[in-house]
Amino acid sequence: MSVTVRTLSELLMPPSVADSPLSTQEYFVNMGPQHPIAHGSLRIVLLLDGETIRKVIPVPGYVHRGIEKMCEHMNYRKIIPLTDRMDYLSALMNNWVVARTVEMAAGIETNARIETIRTIMSELQRLQSHVLWWGVLGMDLGAFTAFLYSFRDREIIGEIFEETIGARLTMNYIQPGGLMYDILPDFVSKVKKLLGYLRPLINEYDALLSGNAILQERLRNIGILDGKDAISLGCTGPVLRASGVPYDLRKVEPYGVYDKVDFDVVIGTKGDCWDRYYVRMEEMRQSIRIVEQLIDNLPAGPYMVTKYNARLKLPKGRYYGQVETARGVLGAFIYSDGDGDAPYRMHFRSPNFNNLWAVTHIAPGWRIADYISIQSSLDLVIPDIDR
Amino acid sequence: MMSVGQPAWEVVTVADRAEYWLESHWYFAVAYMILAVLAVAAMVVALGMGLIYGERKIAAHFQCRMGPMRVGYHGILQSIADTIKLLLKEDIVPERADKVLHLVGPFLTLVVTILILGVLPYSPLLQLADVSLGVLYLTALSGLSVLGLLLGGWSSNNKWSLLGGMRAAAQVISYEITATLALLVVTMFAGTLTLSGIVQSQAQGWWVWRAHGVGLLSMGLFMIAATAEINRTPFDIPEGESELTGGFHTEYSGLRFAFFFLAEFINMFVVAGITVTLFLGGWMPLRIGNWETFNNLMGLIPPSLWFLGKVVVMVFVLMWFRWTFPRMRVDQLMRLEWKFLLPIGFINLFAAAVIILCKWYFFPV
């Protein structure tokens, strides 16, 4: 099999000169790696005709830390903290995907308490991630107030994590075979208080931003991603669901205790930026609903089923597990050669990487300002693209 | 105390006084004018600092935070600290920039703004010069202000800056039309182009509510158009922080950036001042029909305080816009102007003409 490697300069065709009386010329600009929309370090090369985008070439790799390669030298216990640093807004779900794959491979059965706490924590994290996304979208579209509102509420969820886990961002909490720590006695009452606080706030978000005519103008009918295209591009999560594909791993392949709770998969009808916005707003309410159902009757039991073993060896074979993070399907592939406590090869299927390439498909033809709406509505976390 | 129905505000401008002295003691007149110019310069600095502090505090309280709190009581000296910082900062000029135009851009923007400050009537006794074509002068200068932004965008030799400059040009030139149409309505009502004359024509009631909604509509149109002309959210697309990384002022730093920044804030005051002068009675106190006691009480407040109070309210409204609305897109902005505001402006002008012909004012002129 031959692989054609094309350099960036080959991708950038010579700018064409249009045959119009007004002689216009297409030109390139670098959006990033240092640009407010990059939200980290993502370089986007735009071919522009005036303000209209002709071509989008994402150039990822500025935050590449070689996490997959590092995993090959670490035991499964040590891989967990590395995953925190991929999609830092879904750190708990990242932990969970490794834990789940390792448990599957080693045949570890967890108990109901562990699974319930994992689900609650993941949903809180999803809520936190979507709250932050809402604020960042507002900031990208020029409504800076939304950004600070979202940070205010995000911190309150962060305090719950901090109390139980000891960290606000890089959790390192869900381990193969259980959890790092048990929850504190007042965890339940605090989470209930938090949900009571957040539920009206999501309506406040709607009042501040969603109903705004300018925001709707900026999002509606912009960057339409067809359901079929979304599937062939490998988009997952809210991006895929906004295109009308009801694919939610929590429903189609339930893990944790998602099969025991009642929640709706929110889907969009058109696949434009507004649908992606609306799907996430609704998902926040669904997350609150899930946590509300689980928080009242936490099952009893130990928080760790197997005594923690750093020397855990997986039998020879290939294993793949996946979870639904706030941004889509995160998969972990482990190839174990049977000897040694580290994987022979570890690979992550990152939702952001696939979602990023949707811009090459949907952004051409729109304006620079629309590109901001489009990329913001995809909710990308750059370190997860590069890993 | 003024008697109702017979307001007799005598307007004496600074220029008038200098002219009076010119005949007998010319050196006194010259010194007086120099003092006046220095006063304007001091006002620019004070306004800039005050407005920046105000904006930061108001924004902070909109956003559930405290704003500047460290320098002085409740951060009251923060603007002074910022000014010192901007003065000491290195003035970076891009190597391949057009050096002369890069320097001219921010100066031009600030100078145009200061020129408008000179004609605003702050009180019957406090106006630098009462230009006989006052409204025309305002329109001409606000059209000129775009040149500074365009120069800044062009000379920076940066594609983002160029885009910002081009956006600014398209936007300001388009919205200039609506602003002028709205100003014309008041000019027709008042029958004069001088700003003090327009203020005096509002002795019986402000134009905003005197003409069956026409005045209110013109004020709305003017506020929208003026917000677009001074590039504030929701029309801050020339800056486009998250798209164009600052637009026309991306390549500016230090004092040159401070000039752009200062001009933006003074412009806010200028827009509020023009709105107040034309639609909200300028320095005129609030009068309601024949409520003698109320009118007399209102008359006790000095005119300069009336002007200042009204301006503060309008500036607050502009800040409120900024910290609530998202930013529009460039083609939506154009659509709003050419398809909605412009026809409404023309219809409004026509309605105003009908009202003037039939003399359908709420209060006698």
Side-chain angles (χ1 to χ4, degrees), chain A residues 352-374:
Chain A
N352 290 298
F353 185 80
N354 289 64
N355 289 353
L356 165 69
W357 295 93
V359 297
T360 58
H361 187 71
I362 57 181
W366 297 100
R367 310 286 166 118
I368 298 175
D370 294 321
Y371 183 78
I372 308 298
S373 311
I374 290 168

PDB file of all heavy atoms in Angstrom, chain A residues 352-374:
ATOM      1  N   ASN A 352     -12.630  14.955  18.970  1.00  0.00           N
ATOM      2  CA  ASN A 352     -12.312  16.277  18.455  1.00  0.00           C
ATOM      3  C   ASN A 352     -11.593  16.219  17.119  1.00  0.00           C
ATOM      4  O   ASN A 352     -11.799  17.066  16.268  1.00  0.00           O
ATOM      5  CB  ASN A 352     -11.440  17.031  19.456  1.00  0.00           C
ATOM      6  CG  ASN A 352     -12.216  17.416  20.673  1.00  0.00           C
ATOM      7  OD1 ASN A 352     -13.163  18.162  20.580  1.00  0.00           O
ATOM      8  ND2 ASN A 352     -11.843  16.878  21.806  1.00  0.00           N
ATOM      9  N   PHE A 353     -10.737  15.193  16.960  1.00  0.00           N
ATOM     10  CA  PHE A 353      -9.986  15.094  15.712  1.00  0.00           C
ATOM     11  C   PHE A 353     -10.949  14.962  14.537  1.00  0.00           C
ATOM     12  O   PHE A 353     -10.825  15.645  13.526  1.00  0.00           O
ATOM     13  CB  PHE A 353      -9.043  13.897  15.776  1.00  0.00           C
ATOM     14  CG  PHE A 353      -8.154  13.790  14.589  1.00  0.00           C
ATOM     15  CD1 PHE A 353      -7.015  14.569  14.505  1.00  0.00           C
ATOM     16  CD2 PHE A 353      -8.453  12.932  13.552  1.00  0.00           C
ATOM     17  CE1 PHE A 353      -6.189  14.491  13.408  1.00  0.00           C
ATOM     18  CE2 PHE A 353      -7.635  12.850  12.452  1.00  0.00           C
ATOM     19  CZ  PHE A 353      -6.498  13.635  12.382  1.00  0.00           C
ATOM     20  N   ASN A 354     -11.935  14.084  14.679  1.00  0.00           N
ATOM     21  CA  ASN A 354     -12.883  13.900  13.590  1.00  0.00           C
ATOM     22  C   ASN A 354     -13.796  15.115  13.417  1.00  0.00           C
ATOM     23  O   ASN A 354     -14.101  15.509  12.301  1.00  0.00           O
ATOM     24  CB  ASN A 354     -13.724  12.652  13.833  1.00  0.00           C
ATOM     25  CG  ASN A 354     -12.899  11.411  13.654  1.00  0.00           C
ATOM     26  OD1 ASN A 354     -11.968  11.198  14.392  1.00  0.00           O
ATOM     27  ND2 ASN A 354     -13.221  10.623  12.651  1.00  0.00           N
ATOM     28  N   ASN A 355     -14.208  15.685  14.548  1.00  0.00           N
ATOM     29  CA  ASN A 355     -15.093  16.845  14.440  1.00  0.00           C
ATOM     30  C   ASN A 355     -14.393  18.017  13.782  1.00  0.00           C
ATOM     31  O   ASN A 355     -15.013  18.797  13.078  1.00  0.00           O
ATOM     32  CB  ASN A 355     -15.588  17.263  15.833  1.00  0.00           C
ATOM     33  CG  ASN A 355     -16.571  16.271  16.409  1.00  0.00           C
ATOM     34  OD1 ASN A 355     -16.979  15.339  15.719  1.00  0.00           O
ATOM     35  ND2 ASN A 355     -16.932  16.451  17.646  1.00  0.00           N
ATOM     36  N   LEU A 356     -13.076  18.136  14.016  1.00  0.00           N
ATOM     37  CA  LEU A 356     -12.330  19.251  13.424  1.00  0.00           C
ATOM     38  C   LEU A 356     -12.439  19.228  11.906  1.00  0.00           C
ATOM     39  O   LEU A 356     -12.619  20.256  11.273  1.00  0.00           O
ATOM     40  CB  LEU A 356     -10.860  19.181  13.854  1.00  0.00           C
ATOM     41  CG  LEU A 356      -9.893  20.044  13.057  1.00  0.00           C
ATOM     42  CD1 LEU A 356     -10.135  21.506  13.345  1.00  0.00           C
ATOM     43  CD2 LEU A 356      -8.453  19.695  13.381  1.00  0.00           C
ATOM     44  N   TRP A 357     -12.322  18.036  11.307  1.00  0.00           N
ATOM     45  CA  TRP A 357     -12.251  17.980   9.849  1.00  0.00           C
ATOM     46  C   TRP A 357     -13.591  18.305   9.220  1.00  0.00           C
ATOM     47  O   TRP A 357     -13.662  18.496   8.004  1.00  0.00           O
ATOM     48  CB  TRP A 357     -11.713  16.624   9.395  1.00  0.00           C
ATOM     49  CG  TRP A 357     -10.309  16.522   9.864  1.00  0.00           C
ATOM     50  CD1 TRP A 357      -9.893  15.959  11.024  1.00  0.00           C
ATOM     51  CD2 TRP A 357      -9.154  17.091   9.273  1.00  0.00           C
ATOM     52  NE1 TRP A 357      -8.536  16.138  11.185  1.00  0.00           N
ATOM     53  CE2 TRP A 357      -8.065  16.825  10.104  1.00  0.00           C
ATOM     54  CE3 TRP A 357      -8.926  17.812   8.095  1.00  0.00           C
ATOM     55  CZ2 TRP A 357      -6.780  17.256   9.821  1.00  0.00           C
ATOM     56  CZ3 TRP A 357      -7.644  18.220   7.812  1.00  0.00           C
ATOM     57  CH2 TRP A 357      -6.583  17.947   8.679  1.00  0.00           C
ATOM     58  N   ALA A 358     -14.629  18.407  10.029  1.00  0.00           N
ATOM     59  CA  ALA A 358     -15.914  18.844   9.476  1.00  0.00           C
ATOM     60  C   ALA A 358     -15.801  20.260   8.923  1.00  0.00           C
ATOM     61  O   ALA A 358     -16.520  20.622   8.002  1.00  0.00           O
ATOM     62  CB  ALA A 358     -16.998  18.760  10.536  1.00  0.00           C
ATOM     63  N   VAL A 359     -14.887  21.084   9.483  1.00  0.00           N
ATOM     64  CA  VAL A 359     -14.801  22.469   9.000  1.00  0.00           C
ATOM     65  C   VAL A 359     -14.372  22.511   7.538  1.00  0.00           C
ATOM     66  O   VAL A 359     -14.818  23.374   6.789  1.00  0.00           O
ATOM     67  CB  VAL A 359     -13.850  23.347   9.847  1.00  0.00           C
ATOM     68  CG1 VAL A 359     -14.339  23.477  11.250  1.00  0.00           C
ATOM     69  CG2 VAL A 359     -12.430  22.844   9.791  1.00  0.00           C
ATOM     70  N   THR A 360     -13.526  21.569   7.120  1.00  0.00           N
ATOM     71  CA  THR A 360     -13.093  21.589   5.720  1.00  0.00           C
ATOM     72  C   THR A 360     -14.283  21.365   4.797  1.00  0.00           C
ATOM     73  O   THR A 360     -14.271  21.765   3.646  1.00  0.00           O
ATOM     74  CB  THR A 360     -12.058  20.479   5.453  1.00  0.00           C
ATOM     75  OG1 THR A 360     -12.674  19.230   5.795  1.00  0.00           O
ATOM     76  CG2 THR A 360     -10.830  20.667   6.292  1.00  0.00           C
ATOM     77  N   HIS A 361     -15.288  20.699   5.324  1.00  0.00           N
ATOM     78  CA  HIS A 361     -16.448  20.367   4.506  1.00  0.00           C
ATOM     79  C   HIS A 361     -17.503  21.472   4.547  1.00  0.00           C
ATOM     80  O   HIS A 361     -18.135  21.763   3.524  1.00  0.00           O
ATOM     81  CB  HIS A 361     -17.029  19.046   5.026  1.00  0.00           C
ATOM     82  CG  HIS A 361     -18.112  18.510   4.165  1.00  0.00           C
ATOM     83  ND1 HIS A 361     -17.867  17.990   2.925  1.00  0.00           N
ATOM     84  CD2 HIS A 361     -19.442  18.436   4.365  1.00  0.00           C
ATOM     85  CE1 HIS A 361     -19.010  17.605   2.382  1.00  0.00           C
ATOM     86  NE2 HIS A 361     -19.987  17.872   3.238  1.00  0.00           N
ATOM     87  N   ILE A 362     -17.725  22.053   5.727  1.00  0.00           N
ATOM     88  CA  ILE A 362     -18.860  22.970   5.844  1.00  0.00           C
ATOM     89  C   ILE A 362     -18.480  24.448   5.770  1.00  0.00           C
ATOM     90  O   ILE A 362     -19.330  25.265   5.464  1.00  0.00           O
ATOM     91  CB  ILE A 362     -19.682  22.709   7.135  1.00  0.00           C
ATOM     92  CG1 ILE A 362     -18.816  22.816   8.385  1.00  0.00           C
ATOM     93  CG2 ILE A 362     -20.369  21.386   7.076  1.00  0.00           C
ATOM     94  CD1 ILE A 362     -19.570  22.535   9.649  1.00  0.00           C
ATOM     95  N   ALA A 363     -17.223  24.793   6.029  1.00  0.00           N
ATOM     96  CA  ALA A 363     -16.906  26.221   6.097  1.00  0.00           C
ATOM     97  C   ALA A 363     -16.783  26.907   4.734  1.00  0.00           C
ATOM     98  O   ALA A 363     -17.144  28.064   4.622  1.00  0.00           O
ATOM     99  CB  ALA A 363     -15.639  26.449   6.914  1.00  0.00           C
ATOM    100  N   PRO A 364     -16.270  26.245   3.655  1.00  0.00           N
ATOM    101  CA  PRO A 364     -16.116  26.974   2.393  1.00  0.00           C
ATOM    102  C   PRO A 364     -17.434  27.585   1.923  1.00  0.00           C
ATOM    103  O   PRO A 364     -18.481  26.966   1.990  1.00  0.00           O
ATOM    104  CB  PRO A 364     -15.622  25.914   1.421  1.00  0.00           C
ATOM    105  CG  PRO A 364     -14.902  24.955   2.274  1.00  0.00           C
ATOM    106  CD  PRO A 364     -15.666  24.905   3.552  1.00  0.00           C
ATOM    107  N   GLY A 365     -17.347  28.809   1.445  1.00  0.00           N
ATOM    108  CA  GLY A 365     -18.542  29.516   0.985  1.00  0.00           C
ATOM    109  C   GLY A 365     -19.081  30.484   2.008  1.00  0.00           C
ATOM    110  O   GLY A 365     -19.856  31.356   1.669  1.00  0.00           O
ATOM    111  N   TRP A 366     -18.674  30.321   3.267  1.00  0.00           N
ATOM    112  CA  TRP A 366     -19.152  31.238   4.302  1.00  0.00           C
ATOM    113  C   TRP A 366     -18.110  32.318   4.567  1.00  0.00           C
ATOM    114  O   TRP A 366     -17.000  32.264   4.063  1.00  0.00           O
ATOM    115  CB  TRP A 366     -19.468  30.472   5.591  1.00  0.00           C
ATOM    116  CG  TRP A 366     -20.559  29.485   5.417  1.00  0.00           C
ATOM    117  CD1 TRP A 366     -20.433  28.139   5.234  1.00  0.00           C
ATOM    118  CD2 TRP A 366     -21.966  29.751   5.361  1.00  0.00           C
ATOM    119  NE1 TRP A 366     -21.662  27.560   5.083  1.00  0.00           N
ATOM    120  CE2 TRP A 366     -22.620  28.521   5.154  1.00  0.00           C
ATOM    121  CE3 TRP A 366     -22.738  30.907   5.459  1.00  0.00           C
ATOM    122  CZ2 TRP A 366     -23.998  28.422   5.053  1.00  0.00           C
ATOM    123  CZ3 TRP A 366     -24.107  30.810   5.367  1.00  0.00           C
ATOM    124  CH2 TRP A 366     -24.729  29.575   5.161  1.00  0.00           C
ATOM    125  N   ARG A 367     -18.510  33.295   5.380  1.00  0.00           N
ATOM    126  CA  ARG A 367     -17.614  34.407   5.676  1.00  0.00           C
ATOM    127  C   ARG A 367     -16.666  34.052   6.828  1.00  0.00           C
ATOM    128  O   ARG A 367     -16.877  33.067   7.529  1.00  0.00           O
ATOM    129  CB  ARG A 367     -18.415  35.635   6.093  1.00  0.00           C
ATOM    130  CG  ARG A 367     -19.530  35.976   5.169  1.00  0.00           C
ATOM    131  CD  ARG A 367     -18.974  36.579   3.920  1.00  0.00           C
ATOM    132  NE  ARG A 367     -20.000  36.622   2.893  1.00  0.00           N
ATOM    133  CZ  ARG A 367     -20.439  37.756   2.365  1.00  0.00           C
ATOM    134  NH1 ARG A 367     -19.974  38.884   2.780  1.00  0.00           N
ATOM    135  NH2 ARG A 367     -21.343  37.731   1.419  1.00  0.00           N
ATOM    136  N   ILE A 368     -15.699  34.939   7.047  1.00  0.00           N
ATOM    137  CA  ILE A 368     -14.771  34.732   8.162  1.00  0.00           C
ATOM    138  C   ILE A 368     -15.541  34.681   9.478  1.00  0.00           C
ATOM    139  O   ILE A 368     -15.294  33.836  10.335  1.00  0.00           O
ATOM    140  CB  ILE A 368     -13.740  35.866   8.234  1.00  0.00           C
ATOM    141  CG1 ILE A 368     -12.898  35.896   6.967  1.00  0.00           C
ATOM    142  CG2 ILE A 368     -12.818  35.694   9.436  1.00  0.00           C
ATOM    143  CD1 ILE A 368     -11.958  37.060   6.927  1.00  0.00           C
ATOM    144  N   ALA A 369     -16.515  35.599   9.613  1.00  0.00           N
ATOM    145  CA  ALA A 369     -17.277  35.649  10.858  1.00  0.00           C
ATOM    146  C   ALA A 369     -18.062  34.356  11.062  1.00  0.00           C
ATOM    147  O   ALA A 369     -18.239  33.893  12.187  1.00  0.00           O
ATOM    148  CB  ALA A 369     -18.221  36.841  10.842  1.00  0.00           C
ATOM    149  N   ASP A 370     -18.522  33.748   9.949  1.00  0.00           N
ATOM    150  CA  ASP A 370     -19.250  32.488  10.082  1.00  0.00           C
ATOM    151  C   ASP A 370     -18.314  31.361  10.496  1.00  0.00           C
ATOM    152  O   ASP A 370     -18.725  30.426  11.160  1.00  0.00           O
ATOM    153  CB  ASP A 370     -19.908  32.106   8.757  1.00  0.00           C
ATOM    154  CG  ASP A 370     -20.984  33.091   8.386  1.00  0.00           C
ATOM    155  OD1 ASP A 370     -21.685  33.521   9.299  1.00  0.00           O
ATOM    156  OD2 ASP A 370     -21.104  33.409   7.209  1.00  0.00           O
ATOM    157  N   TYR A 371     -17.066  31.463  10.067  1.00  0.00           N
ATOM    158  CA  TYR A 371     -16.117  30.437  10.473  1.00  0.00           C
ATOM    159  C   TYR A 371     -16.021  30.383  12.001  1.00  0.00           C
ATOM    160  O   TYR A 371     -15.906  29.306  12.587  1.00  0.00           O
ATOM    161  CB  TYR A 371     -14.732  30.689   9.857  1.00  0.00           C
ATOM    162  CG  TYR A 371     -13.788  29.592  10.225  1.00  0.00           C
ATOM    163  CD1 TYR A 371     -13.839  28.385   9.566  1.00  0.00           C
ATOM    164  CD2 TYR A 371     -12.918  29.733  11.301  1.00  0.00           C
ATOM    165  CE1 TYR A 371     -13.031  27.344   9.954  1.00  0.00           C
ATOM    166  CE2 TYR A 371     -12.110  28.706  11.694  1.00  0.00           C
ATOM    167  CZ  TYR A 371     -12.168  27.509  11.011  1.00  0.00           C
ATOM    168  OH  TYR A 371     -11.398  26.472  11.410  1.00  0.00           O
ATOM    169  N   ILE A 372     -16.096  31.565  12.616  1.00  0.00           N
ATOM    170  CA  ILE A 372     -16.059  31.626  14.078  1.00  0.00           C
ATOM    171  C   ILE A 372     -17.259  30.870  14.658  1.00  0.00           C
ATOM    172  O   ILE A 372     -17.110  30.050  15.564  1.00  0.00           O
ATOM    173  CB  ILE A 372     -16.075  33.096  14.548  1.00  0.00           C
ATOM    174  CG1 ILE A 372     -14.996  33.903  13.860  1.00  0.00           C
ATOM    175  CG2 ILE A 372     -15.951  33.188  16.043  1.00  0.00           C
ATOM    176  CD1 ILE A 372     -13.614  33.470  14.115  1.00  0.00           C
ATOM    177  N   SER A 373     -18.439  31.136  14.090  1.00  0.00           N
ATOM    178  CA  SER A 373     -19.637  30.431  14.566  1.00  0.00           C
ATOM    179  C   SER A 373     -19.472  28.933  14.389  1.00  0.00           C
ATOM    180  O   SER A 373     -19.802  28.150  15.271  1.00  0.00           O
ATOM    181  CB  SER A 373     -20.872  30.879  13.792  1.00  0.00           C
ATOM    182  OG  SER A 373     -20.964  32.250  13.741  1.00  0.00           O
ATOM    183  N   ILE A 374     -18.959  28.533  13.212  1.00  0.00           N
ATOM    184  CA  ILE A 374     -18.872  27.107  12.905  1.00  0.00           C
ATOM    185  C   ILE A 374     -17.907  26.417  13.858  1.00  0.00           C
ATOM    186  O   ILE A 374     -18.246  25.416  14.499  1.00  0.00           O
ATOM    187  CB  ILE A 374     -18.439  26.903  11.430  1.00  0.00           C
ATOM    188  CG1 ILE A 374     -19.567  27.337  10.492  1.00  0.00           C
ATOM    189  CG2 ILE A 374     -18.059  25.460  11.179  1.00  0.00           C
ATOM    190  CD1 ILE A 374     -19.157  27.443   9.055  1.00  0.00           C
TER     191      ILE A 374
END
